Structures are given as structure tokens and as C-alpha cells.
Amino acid sequence: MATDIRRPTVARGSAPAPEPLADEASWGRVTTPRTLLSRALSVPLALGFTVFLPLFVAVQDGDGQRDAAYWLQLLLTMYAGARLSAMVLTSRRKLLQGSFWLFVYMAMGVAPLAQAVLGRVPTPVVGPRSDLTLAIGLVLIGCLAFDVGVLLARHRPAVRAGGSRKEKRPVMAHRRRLQVLTVLSFLCSAAFIVKLGGPAVFFSSRQEIIAGIEEAGLSSDGQASQALLRGFGTVPALLSLLLYTRWLITSKYARRKVSVIVTWSALAALNLVVNNPISNPRYWFLTVMFALLFTVFPVSAAMYRVALSMAVVIALLVFPFADRFRYDEKNYRPVETTSFLEPMALKDYDQIGMFANTITYSQSGPGHSYGRQLAGSVLFAVPRSIWPGKPRDTGVMVGLWMGTVNTNLSSPIWAELWLDFGPLGMGAGLLGLGYAAARVDRRYAKRATRRSPPGSLISVVVPLVAGYSFILLRGPLLQASGRVAIAALCLALVATYRGDKSTTLR
């Protein structure tokens, strides 16, 4: 016999019962085919990330030492795998936490474990083995601190009896200012294209881009000038595209406006030039794809799970070989290997090793910088002519001390915080990062719904930050600061608290 389920009636004059928030615990209580499918996949997925893949890497043949550093690395990989599994299987979309654990699992977990097994690293570890062991232990402590911050974020301030928590007015995109940002995007990107010699350069190689910057005379002006040129040439165009994409996805009015469709098409073509994977670093293109994916699918839990799961496969099989366009035909040297571990051991994933080198560098004499490196990142735009003692990128500074030819080295957030503030400061920084990520994820899950307005800025900003977090976590912070500052300026331009129809998107 069918059951008639009706909405409860509300007496005239009384307030309707509030609808449950998108982030409440009531999510997932209704059993649906998708829920059953998720439960069926949960065990093999969790075991695969947490046990099978780490152990499969660990039992491979290699020349690595089976010492304390090896076992700590295996423990870190399994812990990160368990946390990534929890992010994939959760009923709520946690973009910032998911991207954090995805980075830790691949760049600080599986890849360094492969390096430990094979005894081969992309960047030499110049210090004693004890510094590497310390670095792995500090990364694990930082991950635990991040989780403590997430737990602290669950405790909300108590509401007095009879009272209610006042909801803040959402920040929206101002329609006229968005048009101004779009015009600026075309002007800045056009200047970037002309400065480097035309659109054809952007479809050759990153080496050609660097050569174009040198011919334009910007390489002698320092990294700040290059960062500003690249940032203004790429960030406004991407933000404009994300905002117009959000508008088209959520608004029937926008899909009927020819001007909106034409503007979106022009922005897509512009981004195809300045933000394509050929002329940009892989981590930046990963940011572009991550931001676009979750802007197009803002409420799809299935897409969120597929994205995190497939990202592991891409990081294992595609990412190590994705530097095909870094060099031109003469200078490109493909890696010839019969093992899937070697590309991870020999390319890019140098975060654990560089943390160990940072510890050795600090202990060799300079010590901790007590915020100086962070100040250099915040004040990145100050030229060295005004600030002669301005600190270098942490990765560059440690690389020069090591005597390496290539100083384009990573400096993960663990190393940046440790070098500036020591182990306690590193733990506090990761705890604060976990707290902030959990709070933002909760607000995003609440606001990014099908009923949210087209101009909701949080629905665009959080996917963008989630994608860019891979660059921030990898470091160095000084390299990443330019685009962060430019994005903040662009968002400040279009942001408004006004909700009337004359200003916001509809």
C-alpha cells in the first residue's frame, strides 16, 4: 500500500519550519541507489588508497634503505590515503580539504615512497639521513595538526535560548563591475600576448615563453616583474571566464542573452591562448581545470568523488610525463623506463627531499628566519631597488646554497612555516589552515546549491582556491603570491553586498 507523504501544514501567522541546511547531519540519511553504490565502493576504495597501493609500491625491488625514514614514509602514505578516502566518500563536498589530502597523498606520500624504495630522487638530499627522517616526521605532525584544526572547526558558538544565529549577507558579483573586469581581462591578456610576440608563442613551449620574457627585457627586472606580467595576463581572464560560466550554468536569463553567450565564447577563446597547458606550468593548468570543473558542476557529489579519485590516477600515470611542452624539440628528453615508479621518483615530486634540504640549510648556520620569508612573500611586489635585502624564494635560496644548476625547486608549506617559525609555528600554521579549510568548506556546501543566485562569489572563489592550493602547498610562497594578489584585486573589483536586481547577475 502506497504511503501518502505530504508537507506538514503551517498555521496562518506562524513562521514556516526552517529547511535543513546543506551541511547538516541529515544529509545521507535517505537511502538511494547512489548511496548504495557509494557504500559498495567504499571498502575497495579505502583499502586501495590506504593499504593496497602503498604496499604495492613498498614491495617493489629497489636500492632504498629500509630504515626509520622508510617506515615513517610508509606510515605517512597510509595515513594520507585514509584521509583522502574519507574525503572521497563523504556526503559533503569538501573542496579545500579534498585538495589538501590529494596533494599530501601524491606529492608527500606515494611519490616519496617510490623514491625511498628505489633509492633515487629528482633533487639530491645533501644532508644526513637523520634530516630526511625529521622532515618526514614533521610532515606527519603537520598533517595531524591540520586534522586537529578541522575538528576544532566543528564546534560552533552556542546560540542562546530563543535566539538565532544571524546569517551574513552573501557577497555577490556586481554586473557592471564584471563587465569592467572583462574589458580589463582582454586588455591585460592582449598586452601579455603582444609583449611575448603573438599568439603562436603560446602554442610552442614554455621555453619559448621564457625566451619571450627575456627578449622583452623583463628577466632583468626580477621575479616580481615576471610574476606581475604573467599574473595580469592570465588571472583576470580566468576569473572572468569562471564568473560568466557560473552565470550561464545557473541562469535561464543569461542563456537567452546573446551578449552573454558571445562574451563567454570570447573569454573561452582568450583562455585557450593564455591559459592552455602548453605554455603554462602543469600546476597552473591543474588550477584552471579544477576551478572550471567545480564551477560547471557546483552541486554534483558524484563529480566531486570522480574528480578526486581520477586525480590520483592522473598524478600516477599522466602528470610525470606532462612536461612534454616544457622544452622545445631539441631540448626535450623523454624518460625511457619500464617501471611506473621511476617517473615519480625522478620527476617533480621533490617536496620531501627539499624539506630535508631546508632543515639541513637552517642547521648549517642561518637558523630560522622568524617571519622574514613570509614577509617577502606578502610584499612580493616591492622591487629590490627599494628593498635590497628582500628575501629570495625559499626554494631558490636553498638551491643556491646546495649549488644546483636548476633552482626552480619546490618549498612545501611545511618547509616555509618551519623555516620561519620552527616546529611549533609549523604545527600552529597547519592547525590554522585546517580550521580555515573546514570553515570555508562548510560555508561553500551551504551556499553552493541549485537555489543560490548566479552571482554568488563563493561558488567561484572556493573552486579556484581549491585548485590553486596545489601551487600554494607545493611552494615556494613567493612565486605563488603574485597571482593571489591579482585575484584578490579582481574579486575586490566585482564584489558587492547589494542584492537588488539592478546590480547583481540574474
Side-chain angles (χ1 to χ4, degrees), residues 72-73 75-77 79-80 83 100-101 104 108 132-150 352 355 359 413-415 417-418 422-434:
L72 267 178
Q73 185 62 60
L75 176 62
L76 172 60
T77 306
Y79 182 79
R83 297 299 294 123
F100 175 85
W101 288 112
V104 173
M108 315 292 278
L132 179 62
T133 305
L134 177 59
I136 300 170
L138 287 171
V139 171
L140 185 56
I141 291 173
C143 291
L144 293 171
F146 183 91
D147 272 341
V148 171
V150 171
I352 291 288
F355 190 7
I359 293 173
I413 192 67
W414 290 261
L417 291 172
W418 184 89
L424 291 179
M426 183 205 73
L430 268 298
L431 185 147
L433 186 63

Side-chain angles (χ1 to χ4, degrees), residues 226-393:
Q226 297 182 42
L228 289 174
L229 177 66
R230 283 179 174 269
F232 278 109
T234 57
V235 174
L238 175 60
L239 264 175
S240 298
L241 178 64
L242 293 175
L243 288 167
Y244 268 89
T245 301
R246 164 79 185 174
W247 194 6
L248 284 171
I249 289 294
T250 57
S251 171
K252 293 181 180 179
Y253 168 83
R255 292 193 290 271
R256 291 195 297 262
K257 289 280 290 184
V258 176
S259 60
V260 175
I261 296 174
V262 170
T263 303
W264 180 89
S265 301
L267 285 170
L270 180 65
N271 278 271
L272 187 62
V273 176
V274 298
N275 283 319
N276 67 70
I278 298 175
S279 59
N280 285 280
R282 285 161 289 173
Y283 278 96
W284 174 247
F285 185 70
L286 183 64
T287 300
V288 174
M289 296 306 299
F290 218 76
L292 278 173
L293 178 67
F294 291 112
T295 301
V296 174
F297 301 99
V299 297
S300 174
M303 186 57 66
Y304 164 78
R305 293 169 182 171
V306 169
L308 287 185
S309 302
M310 289 303 299
V312 175
V313 179
I314 293 172
L316 282 171
L317 303 179
V318 178
F319 206 69
F321 298 98
D323 64 345
R324 172 62 187 84
F325 301 108
R326 177 181 291 181
Y327 309 102
D328 56 21
E329 293 290 343
K330 295 181 180 179
N331 296 303
Y332 177 66
R333 298 290 184 271
V335 174
E336 297 180 359
T337 176
T338 57
S339 171
F340 84 98
L341 293 185
E342 287 189 20
M344 288 190 294
L346 299 177
K347 289 192 173 189
D348 296 319
Y349 294 115
D350 64 344
Q351 284 74 34
I352 291 288
M354 282 303 298
F355 190 7
N357 288 331
T358 302
I359 293 173
T360 307
Y361 163 79
S362 175
Q363 294 178 347
S364 67
H368 297 290
S369 54
Y370 301 105
R372 188 170 179 272
Q373 291 298 116
L374 180 61
S377 301
V378 174
L379 303 174
F380 76 98
V382 178
R384 295 189 183 276
S385 57
I386 299 177
W387 186 5
K390 180 180 176 181
R392 296 178 180 271
D393 279 344

Side-chain angles (χ1 to χ4, degrees), residues 64 110-122 344-347 349-350:
V110 176
L113 181 61
Q115 296 164 10
V117 169
L118 297 179
R120 304 174 67 183
V121 292
M344 288 190 294
L346 299 177
K347 289 192 173 189
Y349 294 115
D350 64 344

